[in-house]
């Protein structure tokens, strides 16, 4: 499709963005090798330079004057025969996360493999990749810029999710994307294999973790059986009032997993009260999950300790070690 875009309009300027420049150069090199094909050069002699290694080509303009133009032809960027002069090459490759171009404006932005295992390794890296995607849109040439995005899902809330749901991060609203999605999973809706045999896909699923298979092969990183649960699986064995009224029958423990900051981008602090008695079962009468400042975490924890203290003594508190070191400094 990129080659077709060039041959239809040789005056076009295209930028291929990938997660890093190394990946982007591979895509540019693919196009470069294809344009060097002898048959293609014979079919489009007015577009593809005869001798790309020379770094220049000549043509006769409307006034009958022979004009010589210089051009670039490498794995970084390439330029076909043009009538109009512009600083942007026909095709360039840049990294999305590092090395975005400055002072360049393209007619077509292609995002190919901007999401990788590295980009979703941490929530901060995932967020940064999404921010860099938004920033890169400024390298478009204006209202008429076209955008094409190709890639594989690696996480439910990856950059592609936020592209398809642009208001989700601030307002929690799904949908609203200006981009149309074409999704090609390895099986159709009725389970028929596409491209691969049924046996091959079954082997793939057995080898892969279920979530990886759903993301990579089914193009659907929704919570799979390995990482999700249904609410109906949670069976209510007690309620807070019952446990509190009979609290002298239980030993209480409080498990704390703190988050250091309180912001839209920070993680949640979780505090779980666990109650045990002689029946060998675990009861969870109370949970706090919120974004809290240090003073708020201390106040909530003290409240839980006081509330669940009984005739047997105070609850035993287990505080996540690195968070404890940070909170006590």
């Amino acid at each position: 499709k990129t080659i077709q875009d060039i041959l239809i309009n040789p005056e076009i300027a295209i930028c291929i963005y990938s997660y890093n420049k190394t990946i982007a150069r591979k895509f540019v090199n693919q196009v470069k090798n294809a344009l060097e094909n002898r048959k293609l050069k014979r079919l489009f002699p007015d577009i593809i330079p005869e001798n790309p290694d020379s770094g220049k080509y000549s043509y006769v303009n409307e006034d009958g004057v022979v004009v010589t133009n210089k051009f670039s032809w490498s794995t970084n960027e390439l330029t076909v025969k043009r009538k109009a002069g512009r600083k942007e090459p026909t095709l360039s490759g840049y990294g999305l996360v590092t090395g975005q171009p400055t002072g360049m404006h393209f007619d077509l932005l292609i995002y190919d493999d901007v999401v990788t295992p590295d980009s979703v390794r941490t929530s901060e890296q995932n967020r940064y990749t999404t921010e860099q995607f938004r920033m890169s849109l400024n390298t478009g040439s204006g209202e008429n810029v076209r955008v094409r995005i190709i890639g594989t899902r690696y996480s439910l809330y990856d950059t592609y999710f936020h592209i398809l749901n642009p208001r989700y991060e601030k307002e929690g609203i799904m949908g609203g994307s200006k981009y149309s999605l074409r999704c090609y999973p390895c099986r159709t809706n009725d389970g028929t294999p596409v491209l691969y045999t049924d046996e091959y896909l079954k082997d793939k699923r057995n080898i892969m973790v279920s979530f990886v298979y759903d993301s990579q092969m089914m193009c659907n990183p929704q919570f799979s059986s390995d990482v999700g649960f249904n609410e109906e699986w949670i069976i209510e064995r007690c309620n807070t009032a019952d446990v509190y009224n009979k609290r002298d029958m239980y030993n209480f423990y409080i498990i704390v997993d703190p988050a250091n900051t309180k912001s839209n981008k920070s993680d949640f602090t979780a505090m779980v009260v666990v109650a045990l008695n002689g029946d060998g079962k675990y009861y969870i009468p109370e949970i706090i999950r919120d974004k809290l400042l240090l003073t708020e975490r201390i106040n909530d924890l003290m409240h839980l300790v006081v509330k669940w203290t009984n005739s047997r003594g105070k609850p035993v508190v287990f505080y996540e070690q690195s968070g404890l070191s940070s909170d006590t400094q």
Side-chain angles (χ1 to χ4, degrees):
K1 184 69 177 77
T2 303
I3 295 169
Q4 187 182 56
D5 288 324
I6 294 172
L7 297 178
I8 290 174
N9 176 21
E11 306 299 323
I12 197 172
I14 304 172
C15 178
I16 294 181
Y17 282 111
S18 294
Y19 181 70
N20 56 47
K21 194 168 185 177
T22 300
I23 301 174
R25 287 178 175 178
K26 292 180 180 179
F27 291 122
V28 174
N29 192 51
Q30 274 189 298
V31 176
K32 172 179 172 291
N33 291 337
L35 292 176
E36 291 172 353
N37 179 276
R38 292 181 180 179
K39 291 183 179 179
L40 207 60
K41 289 168 70 173
R42 285 200 301 267
L43 288 170
F44 300 94
D46 56 329
I47 297 176
I48 304 174
E50 298 84 0
N51 183 15
D53 294 332
S54 67
K56 59 183 179 180
Y57 64 88
S58 301
Y59 70 95
V60 180
N61 65 15
E62 297 177 353
D63 299 325
V65 178
V66 177
V67 178
T68 300
N69 282 344
K70 294 182 179 180
F71 67 94
S72 55
W73 197 269
S74 68
T75 56
N76 294 330
E77 60 182 38
L78 58 88
T79 305
V80 298
K81 293 182 179 180
R82 286 171 165 175
K83 298 288 179 68
R86 62 185 301 183
K87 63 180 180 295
E88 295 85 3
T90 302
L91 179 65
S92 307
Y94 289 94
L96 182 72
V97 175
T98 57
Q100 286 193 27
T102 56
M104 307 278 271
H105 298 285
F106 303 94
D107 307 310
L108 172 60
L109 302 177
I110 300 175
Y111 297 87
D112 207 328
D113 283 346
V114 295
V115 175
T116 69
D118 288 336
S119 70
V120 298
R121 196 174 302 279
T122 65
S123 59
E124 185 59 35
Q125 186 61 48
N126 188 34
R127 190 179 297 114
Y128 183 68
T129 304
T130 304
E131 290 174 354
Q132 288 297 99
F133 166 78
R134 293 166 180 160
M135 182 70 69
S136 69
L137 294 173
N138 292 322
T139 59
S141 57
E143 293 184 8
N144 296 322
V145 64
R146 290 188 291 136
V147 177
R148 185 158 65 240
I149 305 169
I150 311 105
T152 303
R153 301 295 298 272
Y154 283 89
S155 174
L156 177 59
Y157 295 106
D158 58 14
T159 298
Y160 297 135
F161 173 87
H162 291 289
I163 291 172
L164 295 171
N165 303 280
R167 297 173 60 188
Y168 183 83
E169 191 170 353
K170 292 183 178 180
E171 303 173 49
I173 297 175
M174 301 283 284
S177 176
K178 69 176 183 178
Y179 303 103
S180 58
L181 174 65
R182 292 191 292 175
C183 186
Y184 301 100
C186 64
R187 291 184 185 273
T188 59
N189 291 335
D190 62 2
T192 302
V194 179
L195 296 180
Y196 301 108
T197 64
D198 183 68
E199 183 179 1
Y200 175 82
L201 292 178
K202 287 180 179 177
D203 288 341
K204 269 282 191 185
R205 188 173 184 84
N206 289 333
I207 294 171
M208 288 181 169
V209 177
S210 179
F211 179 74
V212 175
Y213 178 87
D214 289 344
S215 297
Q216 298 278 287
M217 303 298 293
M218 294 299 295
C219 306
N220 180 19
Q222 292 291 336
F223 294 124
S224 66
S225 58
D226 285 357
V227 296
F229 61 88
N230 295 322
E231 190 173 347
E232 56 266 24
W233 294 351
I234 303 175
I235 302 173
E236 184 177 348
R237 299 186 183 277
C238 69
N239 59 58
T240 301
D242 288 341
V243 177
Y244 182 77
N245 291 334
K246 301 176 182 179
R247 59 188 180 278
D248 287 338
M249 298 172 54
Y250 296 89
N251 291 327
F252 291 100
Y253 305 86
I254 301 175
I255 302 171
V256 183
D257 183 12
N260 289 332
T261 58
K262 180 180 179 179
S263 67
N264 292 333
K265 297 180 180 180
S266 66
D267 292 329
F268 287 84
T269 291
M271 300 183 187
V272 181
V273 179
V274 180
L276 301 177
N277 65 13
D279 63 4
K281 296 178 181 178
Y282 295 85
Y283 299 92
I284 302 177
E286 188 167 1
I287 295 175
I288 293 176
R289 179 181 179 272
D290 205 348
K291 295 184 178 183
L292 304 171
L293 296 172
L294 175 58
T295 54
E296 294 172 326
R297 293 198 295 274
I298 294 173
N299 290 338
D300 283 353
L301 179 57
M302 292 301 101
H303 170 75
L304 292 177
V305 169
V306 172
K307 179 178 179 179
W308 296 106
T309 295
N310 59 12
S311 61
R312 301 186 181 193
K314 295 179 180 179
V316 179
V317 177
F318 295 91
Y319 209 96
E320 193 265 332
Q321 186 172 4
S322 60
L324 179 63
S325 301
S326 174
D327 286 353
T328 54
Q329 285 179 353

